Amino acid sequence: MNSPLSLFFGNRAAVIALACLAVITLLALGASLIYPQSPWKMVGAPFQPPAWGGHLMGTDMLGRDIAAGLVHGARVSLLIGLVSTAIALLIGVGIGAVAGYFGGLVDDILMRFTEVFQTIPSLIFAIVLVAIMGPSINSIVIAISVVSWPSVSRLVRAEFMTLRRREYVESSQVLGLPGWRIMLTDILPNAMAPVIVTATLMVATAILMESGLSFLGLGDPDMISWGYQIGAARTMLRAAWWMSFFPGVAIIITVLCLNLVGEGLSDALNPNLKRKKP
Amino acid sequence: MKLLKIVAALALTAQIANAAEPTEGGTLRLIAQPEPPMLMLGLNQQGPTQFVAGKIYEGLLRYGTDMSVLPGLAQSWTVSEDGLVYTFELQNDVVWHDGEPFSSKDVVFSLSKFLPEVHPRARGVMGHVKDITAKGANTVSIELNAPFPAFLQSFEVSSAPIVPAHIYEGTDYRSNAANETPIGTGPFKFDEWQRGSFIRLVKNDQYWQDGKPYLDEIVFNVVPDAASRAVAFETGKVDVLRGGDVEYFDVQRLAALPDAETTNAGWEFLSPITWIQFNLRNEPMNDVRFRKAVWHAIDREFIANAIWMGFADPADGPLPASSPFYKENLPAADYNPDKSRALLDEMGLTPDENGVRTTVRYLSLPYSETYIRMGEYIRQQLREIGIELEVTQTDVGGWAQSLGQWDYDMTVNLLYQYGDPALGVERAYVSSNLVKGSPSANVSGLDNPKIDKVLSEAGTATSTDERMKLYAEFQQTVVDEAYFGYLVRVNFPTVYKTKVRNLVGSAIGLNDTMADVWIAE
């Protein structure tokens, strides 16, 4: 039987996507080295097309370097994607695990609570939250986490409900181990596979949502981000396509890669579900 | 060569326009942006309200694009030798939209009772008035306490709209039910307002100018997004774009359409100046060196050319260059960040390890993309000299609220000049206007007895030479003290379809009655 790792690396698309993500991450980490100056700094004449006057991707309406904004924006996008997913996982796994393990009334209460969040359209809910808290990187992370944890909790609850009937869990219960310990050491590791896959896709969704918020002018005014770049440039699309084109491509590539990696992971971790290759 | 062709084409169309006889009928489709809060011009004078309600209400006088005084509801006027008594002869056969006859009684009621109670600018002007009396049904005589040369500039429709006495007299003006269905004397009557969608005005058949207006109706569409407004013009859903309706980079593109024309005329009366507004009560804005440091850090040529796309000129002082009192050769605020750094060093504001000398709050003005870009530019330029701006994002209402309550450090503001400096400029500088609640009062906290004195003398001096001298002194003082960071004088280009004729005929441009506008088929 193949190990998950070799299964994953046998998936060419997923490997390419992972390499792409590695490059994007490197660019984000090295943003200050590649473009030491602030991405808000006006470095040239406004509206310069790509490769004109020494700017790889051209300049925007104030003469800011699009490429500099792009790599600094990668930082913001990835940071928000990762941190908000981490927070959402923390909440979602916690609530889902308790609900799934204990069942009964606890399950009922927690799931009704989750449903309250699930009934509100997530982007609109995020907009409301950011508008109330005021646009800043913290409020955006909080808003995205708050709207994305319910799906995790549903998933984790389902996993826990099936796993808690397994013999190894029952044997731990017979031995008198405390519930938290069984959840943490016996069930959670076995429930992680689908959670990891979901998490990858959640990062992609979070990046999209941050771009959406920035596009609507609800981004952190101190942080340049892809969504902001597109939002500011969208009305000039016909006059200066490059200003929204490159950030748009960056979002597409990042989200696509995250989805491919997620799919690769899903196939590798659940070999039984693997679709037959043509 | 291309320019020559355009000039020739313009001259040709002008000839055609002059030669053609106005045709009656048709609907003029405009954009109300943003949607006005109400249409009762006496109670609200925000830009969009002026634009829409300017067709419904009229003032006693109008002003030509050269700022000459023209007849409005007053057909003629005389000023006594000593400059104290103004007598207005009203138009004959004027009726209100509800059919009641208009008379000197309405004028006396508007000027002496209604406006002083609800209209801040009119209240200031009417403070100069000793007595207003009706002399017969068609004559009004106004006596002043002391000569006030700007008085004849105070009767533009938004400065002193004439409202119907038979509807408002003896009622609570602000809660009068008639505010929802405004009754004026203008060439167009209020018909329908679907909030969030459109406002429709229809032709006033009983208008006092025979044969006018030419149009059957005017529809103001509400289109909340600048790009959609540009598309609406391109596809012919609207006929006219006011300055600010579309972003400036789109103006050039739309103006080049084959059936479109553009003009900068029609803003002479308002001639707005954009400035950085400091809250002089707070540190470090109370230090002239700090304000000058901000001044020298900003390249106003860049703002005019790159951000306003050339539709603005750098401003070097409080008055527009078109004003007769404009002082030339003020010490121009040159763009020189090194000077800024030297000034901040001198103040003892030294950079920390991150290069930050001080942090101040910046209230962002969200009027349009252009203002947002200007905010981003200012923040970046100040960062270069070590001043960090902590940006507060808000909507237009929130901005006006914070500014009116003096809760800000720095922001960008736009001030209409209203013809004479005694009417439009003075209000932002004199200590008597240190009142909370309005963003266009003296919200910066400027309290300088010297400026108060000079402006008061300049406002009431009778000789133009004397006024020139006093206003020159005023301009010199405020520039020396850098109370405001003057940025640009804004030109608002109007883009319109060639078929719309006689669109801009006065100093208030599109805010005027549009009685003369017609559509060529």
Side-chain angles (χ1 to χ4, degrees):
Chain A
M1 186 179 164
N2 288 326
S3 77
L5 212 60
S6 66
L7 269 176
F8 181 83
F9 283 102
N11 181 339
R12 203 183 303 153
V15 172
I16 295 173
L18 191 67
C20 256
L21 283 180
V23 171
I24 294 168
T25 313
L26 276 178
L27 281 175
L29 292 174
S32 305
L33 295 173
I34 310 168
Y35 290 100
Q37 286 177 323
S38 157
W40 297 100
K41 191 177 167 64
M42 288 142 265
V43 292
F47 292 113
Q48 286 183 42
W52 198 272
H55 302 290
L56 184 62
M57 295 179 184
T59 59
D60 72 0
M61 55 284 187
L62 292 184
R64 297 174 294 210
D65 193 329
I66 302 277
L70 212 60
V71 291
H72 283 265
R75 229 181 224 196
V76 177
S77 293
L78 292 182
L79 184 78
I80 288 180
L82 292 173
V83 175
S84 60
T85 302
I87 296 177
L89 281 183
L90 223 59
I91 307 173
V93 169
I95 290 182
V98 171
Y101 183 77
F102 292 107
L105 189 65
V106 179
D107 182 34
D108 269 351
I109 293 171
L110 287 175
M111 281 308 107
R112 296 303 86 76
F113 177 68
T114 310
E115 276 158 12
V116 170
F117 285 85
Q118 281 190 308
T119 48
I120 310 171
S122 52
L123 184 62
I124 292 171
F125 191 26
I127 290 172
V128 171
L129 289 173
V130 174
I132 292 171
M133 292 185 281
S136 74
I137 192 145
N138 291 335
S139 65
I140 293 168
V141 166
I142 292 172
I144 296 179
S145 316
V146 166
V147 301
S148 38
W149 67 265
S151 57
V152 184
S153 77
R154 283 272 174 195
L155 178 77
V156 172
R157 170 178 170 268
E159 288 292 317
F160 268 60
M161 283 177 93
T162 50
L163 290 176
R164 73 171 170 167
R165 300 268 171 252
R166 298 287 169 88
E167 276 115 6
Y168 62 87
V169 176
E170 282 172 353
S171 69
S172 296
Q173 283 169 334
V174 170
L175 282 173
L177 288 177
W180 63 267
R181 195 146 159 216
I182 300 172
M183 282 155 68
L184 223 57
T185 56
D186 289 345
I187 309 183
L188 193 58
N190 290 298
M192 273 327 269
V195 174
I196 289 172
V197 175
T198 313
T200 333
L201 301 179
M202 276 167 68
V203 175
T205 316
I207 289 175
L208 275 180
M209 204 175 278
E210 189 278 332
S211 302
L213 289 170
S214 301
F215 178 84
L216 295 172
L218 288 169
D220 187 323
D222 287 325
M223 303 268 193
I224 206 154
S225 83
W226 297 339
Y228 160 81
Q229 286 189 303
I230 299 177
R234 88 200 137 95
T235 45
M236 292 174 230
L237 189 61
R238 282 196 278 186
W241 57 270
W242 59 91
M243 284 163 42
S244 30
F245 175 77
F246 292 114
V249 168
I251 292 177
I252 293 175
I253 291 181
T254 312
V255 172
L256 184 70
C257 287
L258 280 165
N259 276 295
L260 288 173
V261 170
E263 208 167 277
L265 280 173
S266 165
D267 290 348
L269 296 170
N270 292 313
N272 302 335
L273 298 175
K274 193 170 161 61
R275 285 153 297 167
K276 292 213 163 57
K277 284 213 170 133
Chain B
M1 194 57 218
K2 197 176 167 193
L3 189 72
L4 266 178
K5 263 188 202 160
I6 294 170
V7 171
L10 283 176
L12 197 66
T13 39
Q15 271 175 4
I16 294 167
N18 288 340
E21 275 293 307
T23 46
E24 290 200 28
T27 300
L28 184 65
R29 287 156 308 172
L30 308 172
I31 289 176
Q33 155 56 29
E35 189 169 15
M38 69 185 309
L39 295 180
M40 174 48 194
L41 189 55
L43 296 173
N44 182 295
Q45 298 87 37
Q46 279 176 270
T49 314
Q50 291 192 26
F51 178 41
V52 179
K55 326 299 173 252
I56 302 171
Y57 292 96
E58 289 178 295
L60 287 182
L61 301 173
R62 294 169 68 235
Y63 304 90
T65 46
D66 58 352
M67 291 301 295
S68 58
V69 184
L70 304 174
L73 277 174
Q75 56 172 305
S76 64
W77 55 94
T78 54
V79 186
S80 67
E81 284 283 313
D82 56 7
L84 287 175
V85 182
Y86 289 70
T87 310
F88 294 93
E89 205 63 46
L90 304 179
Q91 303 283 2
N92 303 314
D93 305 324
V94 181
V95 288
W96 292 101
H97 292 163
D98 59 2
E100 293 286 320
F102 159 88
S103 77
S104 55
K105 190 172 161 248
D106 297 299
V107 178
V108 172
F109 167 73
S110 301
L111 298 182
S112 64
K113 289 193 184 141
F114 187 92
L115 295 174
E117 188 177 323
V118 297
H119 192 307
R121 257 187 305 127
R123 188 185 308 139
V125 171
M126 294 308 151
H128 295 270
V129 172
K130 190 172 166 189
D131 188 37
I132 304 179
T133 42
K135 301 208 160 143
N138 266 345
T139 311
V140 174
S141 161
I142 304 177
E143 195 183 337
L144 304 185
N145 293 315
F148 181 53
F151 197 59
L152 266 191
Q153 310 277 333
S154 326
F155 293 98
E156 173 264 340
V157 61
S158 83
S159 313
I162 302 303
V163 301
H166 67 274
I167 288 178
Y168 286 98
E169 194 149 36
T171 68
D172 178 359
Y173 307 146
R174 287 186 182 83
S175 62
N176 193 312
N179 294 338
E180 296 294 313
T181 51
I183 300 287
T185 57
F188 294 94
K189 297 193 282 190
F190 174 79
D191 181 50
E192 189 184 3
W193 184 355
Q194 294 217 352
R195 300 231 173 213
S197 181
F198 67 87
I199 301 168
R200 180 165 53 224
L201 309 182
V202 295
K203 179 176 185 165
N204 173 9
D205 291 319
Q206 293 181 294
Y207 191 52
W208 52 268
Q209 289 192 50
D210 283 335
K212 289 180 189 174
Y214 301 116
L215 298 168
D216 284 339
E217 53 177 24
I218 302 181
V219 176
F220 298 84
N221 294 289
V222 179
V223 186
D225 174 68
S228 314
R229 292 192 285 272
V231 172
F233 181 78
E234 268 178 289
T235 55
K237 288 206 174 67
V238 300
D239 304 317
V240 179
L241 294 171
R242 286 205 312 159
D245 277 356
V246 295
E247 302 297 344
Y248 284 89
F249 51 82
D250 257 352
V251 170
Q252 289 160 325
R253 184 173 64 81
L254 297 171
L257 293 175
D259 58 346
E261 282 184 50
T262 173
T263 175
N264 280 345
W267 286 87
E268 295 79 6
F269 193 75
L270 300 178
S271 41
I273 287 184
T274 292
W275 64 36
I276 295 178
Q277 184 127 27
F278 300 103
N279 192 339
L280 303 168
R281 300 168 192 85
N282 299 356
E283 279 187 5
M285 281 71 63
N286 57 0
D287 191 319
V288 61
R289 290 171 297 185
F290 178 84
R291 302 192 297 265
K292 287 216 160 143
V294 171
W295 240 16
H296 290 305
I298 286 164
D299 182 359
R300 293 164 307 154
E301 293 280 346
F302 180 88
I303 293 185
N305 294 329
I307 301 178
W308 291 87
M309 305 279 160
F311 291 103
D313 302 305
D316 55 2
L319 297 189
S322 57
S323 166
F325 305 110
Y326 172 69
K327 184 179 189 310
E328 281 182 37
N329 301 321
L330 285 167
D334 57 325
Y335 170 52
N336 189 342
D338 286 332
K339 259 189 201 170
S340 304
R341 291 188 192 98
L343 283 163
L344 295 172
D345 284 339
E346 196 188 310
M347 284 175 71
L349 293 171
T350 45
D352 65 7
E353 65 271 21
N354 296 322
V356 178
R357 297 166 190 266
T358 180
T359 303
V360 297
R361 293 177 300 158
Y362 176 82
L363 187 64
S364 170
L365 172 62
Y367 266 3
S368 68
E369 296 267 323
T370 308
Y371 283 95
I372 294 169
R373 293 291 95 74
M374 204 152 71
E376 286 169 3
Y377 172 78
I378 291 168
R379 190 178 51 164
Q380 186 56 33
Q381 289 300 99
L382 295 188
R383 188 174 280 164
E384 300 287 313
I385 59 165
I387 301 172
E388 198 63 33
L389 294 187
E390 195 184 290
V391 181
T392 313
Q393 307 264 37
T394 172
D395 56 6
V396 177
W399 172 83
Q401 167 83 12
S402 299
L403 203 56
Q405 294 303 315
W406 307 345
D407 178 23
Y408 73 102
D409 284 343
M410 273 174 65
T411 186
V412 163
N413 199 350
L414 177 86
L415 195 79
Y416 285 167
Q417 310 281 311
Y418 292 108
D420 193 285
L423 302 172
V425 177
E426 192 181 298
R427 61 199 170 121
Y429 295 86
V430 290
S431 61
S432 58
N433 207 11
L434 280 166
V435 285
K436 277 196 178 181
S438 164
S440 50
N442 177 357
V443 290
S444 46
L446 178 55
D447 189 354
N448 182 336
K450 191 180 157 200
I451 290 180
D452 285 351
K453 185 162 171 286
V454 168
L455 282 178
S456 141
E457 284 173 4
T460 51
T462 42
S463 106
T464 307
D465 284 349
E466 180 70 11
R467 297 191 76 199
M468 294 268 273
K469 220 180 91 213
L470 288 161
Y471 279 124
E473 193 186 333
F474 158 73
Q475 292 170 68
Q476 188 71 49
T477 313
V478 295
V479 169
D480 285 346
E481 293 288 334
Y483 288 126
F484 295 85
Y486 303 108
L487 296 174
V488 289
R489 289 190 283 270
V490 181
N491 299 320
F492 285 112
T494 302
V495 186
Y496 59 101
K497 299 277 179 187
T498 315
K499 65 176 183 182
V500 183
R501 304 289 163 81
N502 283 345
L503 186 63
V504 174
S506 79
I508 60 169
L510 298 180
N511 288 354
D512 211 348
T513 60
M514 296 202 171
D516 296 313
V517 179
W518 57 281
I519 296 176
E521 289 311 326

